[in-house]
Amino acid sequence: RTLATVQGTALLLERGLVAQACTLLRMALEMLFALGAIANKPALLDKLIEGHAVEQKRVAKNMRLWKDPELRKVADAEAASGRLQPFLDSPATGVTTFTLAEAAGLEDWYRTLYMILSWSVHGAPTDLDRHAVVDPNQNLIEFRNEPELEEQHFSWLYSIEMLLKALTALGKIFPNIDERRIEHYSASSEHWPNSRKANFRSNARHLNSTTKIVGYSSTCSRTWTAAEVWDYIRANDVPY
């Protein structure tokens, strides 16, 4: 699921749908947290499975709150049959996304990248700024909805890094996986400008109100464009 979701992100980025790609990246990150948590703490798998019972309990509770007359008939019939009560009485407890991130060793990712990607998911005002076009005096000129071709490189780099971490986690879960290629890709990514050395997970000053990166490592002479990152990916056989 992590792989397929990141592939969906790539398709959206190619079409300039950056905000929409961010919503998928957040989804992929949640799955990466779970995968990494299982790799580091296999006992958490039971809690993840138990989470299904938690969702069933939530559905049962919400059914009792339905207000539409037709929906109420369904809810009342289910309640009268006694089928809802076992779900409502379930003692199951789930596991939070933060707990999974912490177990995966990705606590900082949760407190930074996951938070920022959530802005696109929830339509936060700070993320909606991307649609505003202003003049030099910061007066609103118009709203835009055209494809965004600038500043995509971080979305590409984090997509790749998520897949590398997912592969590393799989290597822990399934010992027969050849980790040499994973190590090769990980070592290669260390040379990407504005990757680990200048990412906003380690330095919050790289963020402004529109979530764009405004500061870079002193070792980086410039910012890579999305096209350059894409060329690098293809030229170096980086998985995406």
Side-chain angles (χ1 to χ4, degrees):
R1 179 63 69 85
T2 304
L3 171 62
T5 305
V6 172
Q7 287 175 326
T9 297
L11 292 174
L12 289 173
L13 286 173
E14 287 177 343
R15 286 155 179 78
L17 299 171
V18 178
Q20 290 70 25
C22 287
T23 64
L24 283 187
L25 271 184
R26 180 182 183 271
M27 186 190 307
L29 195 51
E30 286 192 359
M31 290 177 282
L32 174 59
F33 290 156
L35 184 60
I38 294 171
N40 292 340
K41 298 183 178 181
L44 278 174
L45 179 59
D46 292 332
K47 293 298 293 183
L48 284 170
I49 295 173
E50 190 177 346
H52 178 62
V54 174
E55 291 303 315
Q56 289 177 316
K57 185 174 184 178
R58 181 180 302 175
V59 170
K61 285 183 175 180
N62 280 320
M63 286 182 69
R64 297 191 304 178
L65 300 175
W66 288 347
K67 298 184 182 301
D68 180 85
E70 294 302 317
L71 290 176
R72 282 266 17 117
K73 291 179 183 179
V74 176
D76 291 343
E78 289 295 316
S81 70
R83 287 192 290 265
L84 286 184
Q85 204 56 46
F87 299 121
L88 294 170
D89 294 338
S90 171
T93 57
V95 58
T96 66
T97 301
F98 176 75
T99 298
L100 294 174
E102 191 175 32
L106 297 171
E107 181 179 339
D108 283 345
W109 279 52
Y110 178 91
R111 296 190 186 280
T112 53
L113 182 59
Y114 183 76
M115 174 189 67
I116 292 164
L117 295 177
S118 295
W119 296 342
S120 293
V121 173
H122 300 301
T126 187
D127 189 68
L128 296 178
D129 278 352
R130 68 173 66 246
H131 298 290
V133 179
V134 298
D135 64 20
N137 296 320
Q138 296 302 303
N139 296 313
L140 181 65
I141 300 175
E142 61 182 359
F143 292 106
R144 68 175 182 178
N145 198 39
E146 294 82 9
E148 297 178 58
L149 304 180
E150 303 83 14
E151 308 228 8
Q152 284 195 13
H153 51 289
F154 276 97
S155 298
W156 285 103
L157 293 174
Y158 282 114
S159 296
I160 296 166
E161 196 164 358
M162 282 184 200
L163 289 184
L164 289 172
K165 289 189 177 298
L167 288 169
T168 300
L170 280 177
K172 292 181 180 179
I173 298 171
F174 302 103
N176 60 327
I177 289 180
D178 184 357
E179 296 189 40
R180 288 175 296 179
R181 294 191 70 190
I182 302 174
E183 293 170 356
H184 166 73
Y185 293 134
S186 295
S188 177
S189 69
E190 294 288 351
H191 301 293
W192 297 340
N194 310 320
S195 180
R196 293 179 179 84
K197 294 180 181 178
N199 62 52
F200 50 67
R201 295 197 313 276
S202 61
N203 195 336
R205 72 181 177 82
H206 291 319
L207 298 178
N208 66 10
S209 61
T210 57
T211 76
K212 293 181 180 179
I213 307 304
V214 296
Y216 300 99
S217 165
S218 59
T219 62
C220 304
S221 59
R222 63 183 179 83
T223 304
W224 276 22
T225 65
E228 288 172 323
V229 172
W230 182 233
D231 288 342
Y232 182 93
I233 291 169
R234 289 185 296 183
N236 291 273
D237 191 30
V238 176
Y240 66 93

